[in-house]
Each structure stands twice: as structure tokens, then as C-alpha cells.
Amino acid sequence: MRDLCTYAFISAKVKTLAGSLLPLQQYDLLLRAGDLYQVMQALKATSYAGSVSVFEKEQDIRLFELDLIKSDMKIWEKILRKMSGSGKEFFNQIMQKHDVQNLKAALRLWKKQNEAEEELKYLIDDRIFSSIPVREIIFAPSLDAIMRLLAKTPYCQTLLKCKEQFEHSGKLFIFESSLDREYYNQIFFKMVHHIGKERPVFNVIPGVNAAVMGKLLQQYLKGIGFDFIKQLFI
């Protein structure tokens, strides 16, 4: 009976989410909008009205995007509270993407601390998957200090493995690609070992590879060199 109630709750939530998605015609209207303010006006009558209010108050598109991410996280947190077993483990792993993106943004600000205070407002300061001390990382005096701050998170070992490479090259892409690679490795592990080998586990590969290839090309064009880039492939 409890499982049935849980299924009914999750099913209702998913249907609500599906119903809140913008229809294709709405995207056509947004694409034809004359400016950003017309886009926001068109979104007022949708499920994104709360995020539009943030934009109207702050006049900042990045805060609008951040509010969209936070809204998405809140929805999934409610669903995850009703889930259990391998399904919950898998979707917890999916949610970890926000952790990874937040950590990468914090590391970028650590590299250019003169912009840190202004940029902090665009990071998620609340706990997502792990407790990442964002502000402490940004203003850490050294890389070793960052590693100590991350000691109790899943990301410390990933960064330690490529710490020497980073110190040699000074390129944050070393850390970013390692975090991305570990994130997707863990997703595949949970898909294969928890959900089952019979499921279609490769349906997310094209988007992942496209994103990685884009980053690799950017770094190659900046002159890092092809031989160095080859070892960063997922």
C-alpha cells in the first residue's frame, strides 16, 4: 500500500512537471521576441513566472538562470524524498551535476579573486549534494587549502589525481574535465549496476561527448596542444 501511494505521488509530480513544460508554439513566440523584456513578458503566464519576478527585480539574466536551477532542484528534492533504492541512488547522482557545476565555478573564481565578490551571488551557497564551502574555496590561500576544504566530499580524490597536472599547466580545464569525467562515470556505474544492464544505458552519450569535444576544441585552439588534449578524453 505504501509503495502504491509513493508511486501515485511521484506519478502525479511527473505529470505536473510535464504539464508545466512550454509547448513548441511558445518557443516559436520566444524566438520571435524583439528583446529580452518581451521574452520575460511572454513567460509571465507560464510556470516560470517566479523566476521572471527575480529578473524584474534584479535586472540580471544570470540571477534569472540561477533561480531556474534552484526551482528545478526544489522539485527534484520533493520527488527524491519519496523514492528509495536504486532509483533514488541514480537520481541523486543526476542531481550531483549542480554540485559539480558549482564547484567548477568556485575554482574559476579562486583563479581570479579580483572578481570573486561580485560573482559570488551567481553561485549556489546552500548544500546541494555535498557540503561545499564555496566562499572558503574562492578565497583559499592555496590549492592545498582547497583540498583540505574538500576532504569530506566526493570530489577531493578526483582533484588530487590531477593536481600535479594542474600545477604544471595552470589550466583549470584539467580539474573541470576530471570532475565531468568522474560525474559521468558514476552515472554509468549506477545505470549498469543498480538499474540493470538490460536498460538503454547509452542514450545520454551523444550530448556528453558533444560537450566534451567542444571544450577540447576550445583548449586546442588556445594552443595547449593535441598530444596533451588526447589524455583528457572521456
Side-chain angles (χ1 to χ4, degrees):
M1 186 67 181
R2 183 179 177 183
D3 289 342
L4 184 61
C5 291
T6 299
Y7 171 80
F9 172 83
I10 294 173
S11 178
K13 279 290 182 184
V14 171
K15 286 179 181 177
T16 301
L17 286 173
S20 68
L21 295 176
L22 298 181
L24 290 176
Q25 307 92 293
Q26 187 80 30
Y27 286 106
D28 290 336
L29 289 173
L30 294 176
L31 288 170
R32 289 198 296 269
D35 56 35
L36 184 58
Y37 293 96
Q38 288 184 17
V39 170
M40 293 298 167
Q41 191 65 34
L43 289 174
K44 276 188 175 181
T46 71
S47 58
Y48 305 110
S51 297
V52 171
S53 298
V54 171
F55 175 78
E56 290 179 333
K57 179 182 178 182
E58 303 293 342
Q59 295 294 296
D60 190 328
I61 190 63
R62 292 174 67 188
L63 289 178
F64 169 77
E65 293 171 356
L66 182 63
D67 193 73
L68 288 176
I69 292 170
K70 287 181 175 180
S71 297
D72 180 62
M73 287 168 55
K74 286 177 183 176
I75 291 169
W76 279 105
E77 282 168 4
K78 289 179 182 177
I79 293 174
L80 284 167
R81 280 199 291 268
K82 293 288 184 177
M83 296 182 73
S84 61
S86 59
K88 183 170 186 175
E89 287 182 27
F90 175 69
F91 282 105
N92 262 326
Q93 186 65 44
I94 294 290
M95 285 296 293
Q96 198 174 339
K97 69 180 179 181
H98 296 305
D99 245 0
V100 172
Q101 293 302 320
N102 218 36
L103 177 54
K104 290 194 295 184
L107 289 170
R108 291 185 205 117
L109 290 180
W110 172 69
K111 282 276 286 182
K112 47 180 183 181
Q113 290 190 4
N114 57 314
E115 301 175 23
E117 283 292 351
E118 180 63 25
E119 292 289 314
L120 256 174
K121 63 185 178 183
Y122 300 118
L123 273 64
I124 300 170
D125 208 17
D126 304 322
R127 179 188 173 93
I128 306 174
F129 184 82
S130 304
S131 293
I132 297 178
V134 172
R135 177 176 286 274
E136 289 87 341
I137 287 172
I138 292 170
F139 296 105
S142 66
L143 187 57
D144 287 332
I146 290 176
M147 296 302 172
R148 288 193 292 273
L149 288 167
L150 292 172
K152 294 183 179 180
T153 73
Y155 313 108
C156 185
Q157 288 304 313
T158 301
L159 297 183
L160 280 172
K161 288 175 185 176
C162 54
K163 180 172 176 280
E164 189 174 331
Q165 279 183 298
F166 169 77
E167 290 173 333
H168 178 72
S169 68
K171 303 291 185 181
L172 271 180
F173 181 68
I174 302 291
F175 282 156
E176 292 186 22
S177 64
S178 294
L179 287 167
D180 286 338
R181 183 163 55 243
E182 181 61 21
Y183 168 68
Y184 288 111
N185 281 345
Q186 289 300 317
I187 285 179
F188 289 131
F189 174 82
K190 284 181 169 56
M191 290 176 87
V192 173
H193 295 280
H194 292 283
I195 296 180
K197 293 183 179 180
E198 73 281 2
R199 301 297 178 90
V201 298
F202 299 112
N203 56 352
V204 296
I205 292 278
V208 175
N209 282 348
V212 172
M213 285 299 295
K215 288 185 179 181
L216 291 174
L217 182 58
Q218 288 174 15
Q219 295 304 313
Y220 177 62
L221 294 174
K222 287 178 184 177
I224 287 182
F226 183 70
D227 290 336
F228 174 71
I229 284 177
K230 282 194 294 186
Q231 62 190 297
L232 298 176
F233 272 93
I234 290 181

